Amino acid sequence: MNRDLFAISLDASYKTSLQAQLLEALRNLISASPDLVGARLPASRTLASELSISRTTVQAVYDQMISEGYLTTRQGSGTYVASEITHLSQPQPMSRPVSPATENWRPFQTGLPDQSLLPNRQWARHLERAWRNPSPELLARPDPLGWYPLREAISDHLAAWRHLNCDPGQVMITSGAREAFEVIFHGLLGSGKKIAIEDPCWPTLRTILADTGNTGNPIRIDENGLSSTRIPAGIHAAIVTPSRHYPTGVSLPLSRRVSLMDWARKAGAIVIEDDYDSEFRYRGQPLPSLSGLDGLTNTIYLGSFSKLVSPALRIGYMVVPKRLLPQTRAYLGRVGPRASLIPQPALATFMNSGEFAMHLRRMRRTYARRQNHLLDALAPVSDLLNLQPDSSGMHLCVGLQALVADRVSDIEISKRAENIGLRINALSAHCALPEKMQGLLLGYAAFDEDTLSNAAERLISLLRSDC
């Protein structure tokens, strides 16, 4: 045993410490030699002298191996290889699984901005400036409502773009729509409520309502969106997308907006306005927000930067009536903020510099051009699809002509499109009510003209072969 031990070689120039080297060498020696079971080890002073290391290092290794079960001590006799060990295999390094491949975005996926349009150099400069020498406020305990300068910038943006005048104190930074709805239903309205929702709508919304202990009451929209006359009694809130209904793209006319506000006032209800991509309007000025019309009396306004900057940013916001601010702050004080503080000061200076507005205008021009290109590319199947330009948005909601609808469903077209590398959402998958609407959602914002042309050719071939 002593011969084997004294053959151990340690090197002080290695990055690994002498203690770690000796520990590994003793483990390997005992694991590879079953005949050493019960063998006595030299005293720590002796082994330290032979290896030219400190006795403390040897004793620390002995203690570690005793705790692991390799060694044992006998009173007044010394340290021995544990008799329970018959054979220990060499410790194997943990295998690291191969990182999963990232799936590329597929043509016609919806809700995706073209992130290559983001002025990355300017954005990086704002991030670097914010955190190179961060202000004391950034390093202090964060405000649960979010970085105040960003809330000021959002307030200015809403006044200019959405005709919504609000105090920055009414703005709360969120990590996205899900958190906003959780704040509303856990912190403000509570659970066990009946909530009017548009049909069709964002499918995840029904899941969020169930998760927060509430019940969604779907109401079928018509060519002018949601009608408040269809909202039954006993409804506590309504969630609407008035500027551009998701997913059909219909805008709620002024008469229905006024009627919806009148319903909320009489019913003592709240209207939650999800204004998810209203900045992308290609003809005329952006429609004034519903909350601006209401003066944030009976409305809560939701916005997001995932469509305007990047989904990876995970930054959204909500604007609440002043009477709900104490509840909002109290709830956030209990649960804490979920939106990362890291990008918030950079986003604030990005907006205040004017670069954000330039970025939005560039995106609007690009997306308008891509929508027109897609409509032209699909013109050969105008007998199969109801192709109409949309004055806003990031996708087209295309109805199926009777010739197609009688032969194949939008769900079936969506499934077959997957097989040719396209991601087409079926309109019927967004419906909860019977007699589901039929149509295809074709996202164009994230894809250049060549990609859209190629994707349109594949879709045309699919439709001609199936219909």
Side-chain angles (χ1 to χ4, degrees), residues 57-216:
T57 299
V58 176
Q59 190 60 57
V61 170
Y62 279 8
D63 290 343
Q64 176 66 28
M65 296 189 71
I66 290 170
S67 67
E68 293 177 359
Y70 284 89
L71 305 179
T72 185
T73 59
R74 299 176 189 173
Q75 186 68 31
S77 177
T79 304
Y80 295 81
V81 177
S83 59
E84 292 82 4
I85 296 178
T86 56
H87 181 69
L88 293 175
S89 60
Q90 287 265 9
Q92 298 296 318
M94 292 182 62
S95 60
R96 189 181 296 269
V98 177
S99 59
T102 302
E103 182 183 6
N104 292 327
W105 301 125
R106 294 191 182 188
F108 298 141
Q109 278 188 253
T110 59
L112 301 176
D114 186 343
Q115 296 180 74
S116 69
L117 297 177
L118 180 68
N120 289 294
R121 188 170 297 176
Q122 292 96 314
W123 174 247
R125 186 180 69 246
H126 290 296
L127 274 172
E128 195 271 340
R129 284 179 177 174
W131 293 101
R132 180 182 8 167
N133 292 302
S135 65
E137 292 83 1
L138 273 176
L139 303 179
R141 184 175 183 178
D143 187 327
L145 267 65
W147 180 240
Y148 192 79
L150 176 57
R151 293 156 61 199
E152 288 182 310
I154 290 172
S155 176
D156 293 340
H157 171 76
L158 292 177
W161 287 69
R162 307 300 297 118
H163 299 277
L164 173 56
N165 295 310
C166 63
D167 188 286
Q170 295 174 262
V171 179
M172 167 200 160
I173 308 301
T174 72
S175 59
R178 178 177 285 273
E179 183 188 6
F181 285 121
E182 288 177 356
V183 171
I184 292 169
F185 293 116
H186 285 318
L188 301 181
L189 302 185
S191 60
K193 302 295 191 297
K194 293 181 179 179
I195 312 299
I197 60 174
E198 300 162 321
D199 187 81
C201 74
W202 179 39
T204 306
L205 180 58
R206 296 193 289 270
T207 302
I208 293 173
L209 289 175
D211 290 346
T212 55
N214 295 284
T215 303

Side-chain angles (χ1 to χ4, degrees), residues 11-333:
D11 192 335
S13 66
Y14 284 4
K15 292 182 179 179
T16 306
S17 68
L18 293 173
Q19 181 174 321
Q21 292 180 50
L22 178 57
L23 182 61
E24 182 181 10
L26 285 176
R27 282 178 181 152
N28 292 342
L29 178 61
I30 294 173
S31 298
S33 307
D35 57 314
L36 294 180
V37 170
R40 185 177 184 274
L41 273 67
S44 58
R45 188 188 305 276
T46 303
L47 185 58
S49 175
E50 290 294 335
L51 297 177
S52 299
I53 59 177
S54 73
R55 182 187 178 192
T56 302
T57 299
V58 176
Q59 190 60 57
V61 170
Y62 279 8
D63 290 343
Q64 176 66 28
M65 296 189 71
I66 290 170
S67 67
E68 293 177 359
Y70 284 89
L71 305 179
T72 185
T73 59
R74 299 176 189 173
Q75 186 68 31
S77 177
T79 304
Y80 295 81
V81 177
S83 59
E84 292 82 4
I85 296 178
T86 56
H87 181 69
L88 293 175
S89 60
Q90 287 265 9
Q92 298 296 318
M94 292 182 62
S95 60
R96 189 181 296 269
V98 177
S99 59
T102 302
E103 182 183 6
N104 292 327
W105 301 125
R106 294 191 182 188
F108 298 141
Q109 278 188 253
T110 59
L112 301 176
D114 186 343
Q115 296 180 74
S116 69
L117 297 177
L118 180 68
N120 289 294
R121 188 170 297 176
Q122 292 96 314
W123 174 247
R125 186 180 69 246
H126 290 296
L127 274 172
E128 195 271 340
R129 284 179 177 174
W131 293 101
R132 180 182 8 167
N133 292 302
S135 65
E137 292 83 1
L138 273 176
L139 303 179
R141 184 175 183 178
D143 187 327
L145 267 65
W147 180 240
Y148 192 79
L150 176 57
R151 293 156 61 199
E152 288 182 310
I154 290 172
S155 176
D156 293 340
H157 171 76
L158 292 177
W161 287 69
R162 307 300 297 118
H163 299 277
L164 173 56
N165 295 310
C166 63
D167 188 286
Q170 295 174 262
V171 179
M172 167 200 160
I173 308 301
T174 72
S175 59
R178 178 177 285 273
E179 183 188 6
F181 285 121
E182 288 177 356
V183 171
I184 292 169
F185 293 116
H186 285 318
L188 301 181
L189 302 185
S191 60
K193 302 295 191 297
K194 293 181 179 179
I195 312 299
I197 60 174
E198 300 162 321
D199 187 81
C201 74
W202 179 39
T204 306
L205 180 58
R206 296 193 289 270
T207 302
I208 293 173
L209 289 175
D211 290 346
T212 55
N214 295 284
T215 303
N217 194 106
I219 299 172
R220 178 60 52 86
I221 68 161
D222 58 25
E223 66 277 5
N224 289 313
L226 177 73
S227 172
S228 62
T229 61
R230 297 182 181 180
I231 301 178
I235 296 295
H236 300 88
I239 302 173
V240 295
T241 51
S243 295
R244 185 174 188 274
H245 171 258
Y246 183 85
T248 66
V250 172
S251 294
L252 201 65
L254 179 61
S255 59
R256 288 203 173 178
R257 294 177 183 228
V258 172
S259 176
L260 187 59
M261 291 297 94
D262 189 50
W263 165 81
R265 179 178 55 81
K266 292 178 179 177
I270 285 287
V271 175
I272 302 164
E273 178 180 13
D274 186 357
D275 212 25
Y276 66 99
D277 71 351
S278 61
E279 283 88 353
F280 299 126
R281 188 165 183 84
Y282 312 126
R283 285 175 285 280
Q285 293 297 314
L287 299 176
S289 67
L290 185 69
S291 299
L293 179 66
D294 172 64
L296 282 170
T297 302
N298 297 304
T299 51
I300 295 175
Y301 181 91
L302 308 185
S304 173
F305 290 101
S306 65
K307 308 291 191 298
L308 308 181
V309 180
S310 168
L313 198 61
R314 301 302 304 161
I315 294 290
Y317 56 92
M318 60 185 287
V319 188
V320 301
K322 289 184 177 180
R323 61 185 171 85
L324 296 179
L325 273 176
Q327 286 176 261
T328 305
R329 184 170 286 278
Y331 173 77
L332 291 172

Side-chain angles (χ1 to χ4, degrees), residues 364-427:
R364 284 200 300 185
R365 290 193 300 269
T366 301
Y367 294 172
R369 185 174 65 249
R370 289 176 180 177
Q371 184 193 120
N372 291 332
H373 183 87
L374 178 58
L375 287 168
D376 290 342
L378 292 175
V381 285
S382 58
D383 58 323
L384 305 179
L385 300 178
N386 182 17
L387 300 171
Q388 298 292 332
D390 197 331
S391 61
S392 60
M394 301 168 68
H395 71 266
L396 289 171
C397 182
V398 178
L400 304 181
Q401 301 282 25
L403 178 63
V404 179
D406 291 342
R407 297 183 182 182
V408 63
S409 70
D410 59 357
I411 292 288
E412 188 59 35
I413 294 174
S414 175
K415 290 179 180 177
R416 296 178 187 178
E418 286 283 341
N419 297 329
I420 57 173
L422 304 178
R423 181 67 52 82
I424 298 177
N425 288 338
L427 177 59

